[in-house]
Amino acid sequence: MTTTSPRGDIVEQQVQAKAGSPGRSLRIAVVLLVAASGGVEAVSFLALDKVFAGVMTSNLALLGMAAGRAEGAGVKAAVLALGGFAVGVLVVALLTRGCAALTTRWPRRVMLVLCVDGLLLAAGALVWGLTGGAPGPVTRDILQCGAALVMGSQSAAMVAAGRAAAPTTYLTGTLATFITKGVGTGRPGVWVPLRFVGLIAGAALSAGLLKHAPAWAAFPPVVLILAAITTACVPLLKPPAAAEATASQPS
């Protein structure tokens, strides 16, 4: 029979009560995940099926446009992306159900999901590289669906992480909130703009590689998500008191 330490639970609750926002390492991890998603989007849109891996609003519009113009290839691409994303979200939602959302660290199940995402991106990058950045139609469709699945998985993982995380695959709402509650109130902060910069930088890096070294274009997202996982592990290595102090630092 498994038991938990009452003292440990009390310490964790006290940390959660006092920590108002995630620490610097988690914020950096979010920026790195956003940059990884930017790279995935660049490869998805520019080199796969001209749809996005993680921006489903745009894919729904693309689906409607393709259907209106009777373009079967466009309909198939949008459906693959929408389906892959939905499967990724559903699987992770089931896996992280009942997961306690903390402000000082990401739950272990969230970290597990991100590790699997990294492995899937690495497998896709390997296939991409072995084909010289020019996969055949079937392989391209599989990679498209897989990329969307990873983005859906990552999105659901960030939802499960609660206040310790933030959206990493879609930033429209983030931009609106930043302008309304940040710039509009005179307290814009720095971390949201860094997410925007990360998205642009990740997309630019993979897009540049697609032009000059296409076989390597899918590898930056792998490196970035591994860096994010490593950075997010930092709070797990700290004792509760240190985690509390880090989380309460001004940002």
Side-chain angles (χ1 to χ4, degrees):
M1 181 176 178
T2 303
T3 59
T4 58
S5 168
R7 184 177 181 277
D9 291 342
I10 293 173
V11 170
E12 185 66 51
Q13 291 169 2
Q14 290 174 342
V15 169
Q16 290 302 311
K18 295 180 181 180
S21 61
R24 185 174 289 107
S25 59
L26 293 185
R27 293 181 185 271
I28 294 173
V30 167
V31 172
L32 290 169
L33 286 178
V34 172
S37 70
V40 173
E41 297 294 9
V43 174
S44 175
F45 189 82
L46 296 175
L48 290 175
D49 292 330
K50 303 299 182 184
V51 293
F52 295 99
V55 188
M56 294 303 109
T57 302
S58 296
N59 286 341
L60 288 168
L62 290 170
L63 175 60
M65 288 185 279
R69 300 177 65 175
E71 296 175 348
V75 170
K76 181 185 72 171
V79 168
L80 283 173
L82 289 164
F85 188 89
V87 170
V89 170
L90 178 60
V91 170
V92 174
L94 293 174
L95 179 64
T96 58
R97 178 178 294 174
C99 199
L102 309 173
T103 57
T104 55
R105 60 180 174 82
W106 291 347
R108 284 177 171 79
R109 275 180 279 178
V110 168
M111 298 296 292
L112 174 62
V113 167
L114 294 177
C115 288
V116 173
D117 288 345
L119 290 174
L120 290 175
L121 286 179
L126 180 61
V127 172
W128 181 266
L130 291 175
T131 61
V138 175
T139 303
R140 188 166 59 245
D141 288 346
I142 294 172
L143 290 174
Q144 181 68 78
C145 188
L149 186 148
V150 170
M151 292 295 96
S153 170
Q154 183 175 304
S155 297
M158 292 297 94
V159 171
R163 292 181 60 193
T168 58
T169 61
Y170 52 93
L171 300 183
T172 303
T174 301
L175 178 60
T177 302
F178 174 71
I179 294 173
T180 303
K181 296 185 178 180
V183 177
T185 60
R187 301 190 302 273
V190 68
W191 290 105
V192 172
L194 282 177
R195 277 184 252 161
F196 299 146
V197 172
L199 182 68
I200 295 169
L205 178 57
S206 286
L209 288 173
L210 280 172
K211 182 177 181 179
H212 300 289
W216 294 94
F219 284 92
V222 179
V223 176
L224 288 165
I225 196 171
L226 291 178
I229 293 169
T230 302
T231 305
C233 284
V234 172
L236 299 176
L237 304 177
K238 296 179 180 179
E244 178 183 343
T246 301
S248 60
Q249 288 178 354
S251 55

